[in-house]
Structure formats: C-alpha cells, structure tokens
Amino acid sequence: MGGPSFRKVGTAVRIATAGSLASFILIVAFVLFVIHRRRTRRHHEMEEEEAEFGKLQGIPMRFTFQQLEVATEQFKDKLGEGGFGSVFKGRLGEERIAAKRLDRAGQGKREFLAEKTHRLLVYEYMPKGSLDKWIYCRHDNTGPPLEWRVRCKIITNIAKGLSYLHEDCMKRIAHLDIKPQNILIDEDFNAKLSDFGLCKLMDRDMSQVVTRMRGTPGYLAPEWLTSQITEKADIYSFGLVVMEIVSGRKNLDTSRSEESIHLITLLEEKVKNNQLVDLIDKNSNDMQAHEQDVIQMMKLAMWCLQIDCKRRPKMSEVVNVLEGTMDAESNIDHNFVATNQANFGIAGNVTSSAPPLASHLSGPR
C-alpha cells in the first residue's frame, strides 16, 4: 500500500527539482543577458568615443599603450605625480615627451590618448618643470632668482594662453585650475598652461555656468561661493599667480606670521598704505632695481583680483597692457578679500605683438 504513495512523492520531488533547476537556469540566463547587454553598450560607447576623437581637429597623432611602454621604458623615470595620475619621461623618435598615466577611473575622457583600459596623455617634455620651482624662495642653490625680464616673459605667456582659451576657441574654455604647478617652463623659459582636467566648456551665448566647486584652495575666485562662474574665475587666479611671481612667495604660506599668511590680504593692506614696494621679491637685486616696473605689474594683478568679476579685464586686454598697447584700469576696488573667502584661498613691455596661439598651451600630442 505504501508503494504508490512513495512513487507519487518521488514524482513530486522530481517535478519540484526540475522546476527549481529551470528557474535557476532562467535566472542565470537573465544575468548573463544583462551582462552581455552592458558589455555591448559599453563597447558601443567606446566606439562612439573613438569616433568622437576622430572628429576632433588638431590631434596630430595617437599612440598604442605598447608604444608608450617602449617610449617610457616601462614607465621607469617618474617626473612627478598629481591628483589625476603620474607623469613619466620618455622619447618618441627624436622628440622627448612626458606621458601622464591617468590613475583615477573616469578622468580625462575627452582629453586622453589611450588604448581601452589604459588612459594616457602624451605631452611635450618641458625640461625646466613647473613654475613653482622657479618663483618661490629657492633653497636648492641651483641658480639665482629669475630676472625681471624673464618674469615678464612668463607672465605674458600665461596671459596669452588664457586669452586663447577664453576668446579664440569655438567655445569659451575656462581652465579653472590656474596655479604655478600647472604652468610648465621650457628650456628658454617660455611658459605654457597645462593640466586641463578641471576645465569647463561654455557656449558663447552663455553669460555664466553653474558647476560644482573645482580648483585649488588659495586660487579660487570669490564667485565660487555661489557656484556660478565664468572664465573670469581664471583671471582672478591669474592675478594671484602674478603676485606670486613678483613677490617670490606662495599666496598661502603657513610658515609666515599670522598677518602674512595670505598674500592677497597682505596686498590689500600694502596698497592702502602705499607700501607695495614691501612685496617685491627681496631675494632678487634685479627685481629691486626694477621697482617701479614691478609696482605697475602689481597694479595689473590688482585689476584682475577685484571681487566683482565684471570689473576684471578680459585676458586680451591684459595682453595688450603687457605689450604696451593700452593702459591698465586705474579705478580699482582695493578690497580683494570677500567674506568667507579665507579658504579660497607694467612696465617691462614685451616687444612681441603676436596674437595668442594654441602654442601657449601644453596639450596632448
């Protein structure tokens, strides 16, 4: 009597097991389908990115990861390291290069020259490194402080690079991280802007753009407090860099006395007391000898440092002042420090009257 019952139970177990197995197979098949779709979509996205690169103008060459491995001898000679990756020295043919390996996923999507998972940017090699190594008080005893003439040249190169980004491209490009560490110097002390990882593109008909805060504390314009910025944020940062160049000190220096930590606060005090001469780099006799010229350069910097961004000049106007074809604005608001801004931290005319060029940028090769 028990036989038929056992057979019925066994049949039911087999049916239940078969049903569970079928459900499991369906789940696995669904998961595999989802993974396949994601991979297919990612593949199409990468193909679209490749096609997007093909449409860009002015990209002279692209490289495989293997080529750059050979060029850098397996990334042997590290030149430096930043927030987005490490930079390595290399050589392609007769040309020396600097290859930046982007270590943070998702960075530099439209800026990199890469092969699939390897994201690399290839720059021209700038043998004298970044500007900060040349303008701050130097303790390595490798050479004297920069002459006034050289500092004027560097300031003009920076201004022309920014003028090109702001006024000569199809879209306005705000760099948004102008600081000495992102300004590279070649063998002849020509300066070029680099590191466009935080830049923002703006249509010509846009008066401003709302964006999350980006940049480096100490170089941020007051308008970052509202997150509504224009390319004038770069001009404020440029003014700070100019002050660092002529004073030979960092704009935020915690090794100094409390009243001297912020260069911009010190500038506000000195200009109101007619003591700008106190800010001239004391480590350079040549800078001291060009006292009046340096003070005129400070006045140009102050034009750029005004809290109201509408009162700051365009970079093309800054270039014109540096080249002696126009005068700087004299009606300057000398209150440079906005409330809650603590953490945001001309003479010597240049003879060249050439317009700003893309060559003032250190871009991917």
Side-chain angles (χ1 to χ4, degrees), residues 77 85 142 202:
D77 190 357
T142 57
M202 294 179 283

Side-chain angles (χ1 to χ4, degrees), residues 68-89:
L68 296 181
E69 267 193 320
V70 172
T72 59
E73 298 182 19
Q74 283 67 50
F75 306 100
K76 181 181 71 173
D77 190 357
K78 182 186 282 191
L79 295 172
E81 189 169 356
F84 297 138
S86 303
V87 182
F88 300 87
K89 185 177 179 180

Side-chain angles (χ1 to χ4, degrees), residues 1 31 37 70 118 125 141 158 204 243 257 282 325:
M1 294 180 62
V31 170
R37 282 199 63 181
V70 172
H118 300 290
Y125 176 64
N141 297 318
I158 300 168
R204 290 287 169 190
M243 286 305 305
S257 59
K282 296 177 175 60
T325 59

Side-chain angles (χ1 to χ4, degrees), residues 112-170:
F112 75 98
L113 300 178
E115 184 180 280
K116 307 269 185 189
T117 58
H118 300 290
R119 294 175 179 258
L120 293 140
L121 288 164
V122 182
Y123 293 89
E124 59 186 312
Y125 176 64
M126 303 290 276
K128 293 195 180 296
S130 54
L131 178 60
D132 56 304
K133 298 173 183 175
W134 293 94
I135 60 173
Y136 301 144
C137 242
R138 302 179 68 195
H139 303 291
D140 54 9
N141 297 318
T142 57
L146 295 180
E147 296 179 352
W148 167 240
R149 175 188 59 81
V150 175
R151 300 190 204 208
C152 284
K153 178 180 182 180
I154 290 171
I155 290 169
T156 303
N157 289 160
I158 300 168
K160 286 189 173 184
L162 284 173
S163 179
Y164 179 83
L165 292 176
H166 294 175
E167 302 174 44
D168 295 333
C169 297
M170 290 180 63

Side-chain angles (χ1 to χ4, degrees), residues 84 162 165-166 172-179 182 193-202 209-217 219-221 223-224 227-238 312:
F84 297 138
L162 284 173
L165 292 176
H166 294 175
R172 287 181 294 161
I173 302 175
H175 185 284
L176 302 183
D177 200 17
I178 296 298
K179 58 183 179 180
N182 287 342
L193 304 181
S194 72
D195 207 332
F196 293 83
L198 300 182
C199 72
K200 188 77 175 178
L201 274 65
M202 294 179 283
V209 64
V210 178
T211 183
R212 63 177 177 80
M213 188 176 292
R214 57 182 79 185
T216 302
Y219 296 90
L220 300 177
E223 57 265 29
W224 277 112
S227 297
Q228 298 181 6
I229 58 98
T230 68
E231 71 279 6
K232 291 293 185 76
D234 284 344
I235 296 172
Y236 183 91
S237 302
F238 168 81
R312 298 173 205 153

Side-chain angles (χ1 to χ4, degrees), residues 296-314:
Q296 290 303 310
M297 186 69 82
M298 290 185 192
K299 291 179 179 179
L300 175 61
M302 288 186 280
W303 189 14
C304 301
L305 285 169
Q306 295 177 99
I307 292 174
D308 183 356
C309 65
K310 295 183 180 65
R311 299 190 64 167
R312 298 173 205 153
K314 296 191 298 184

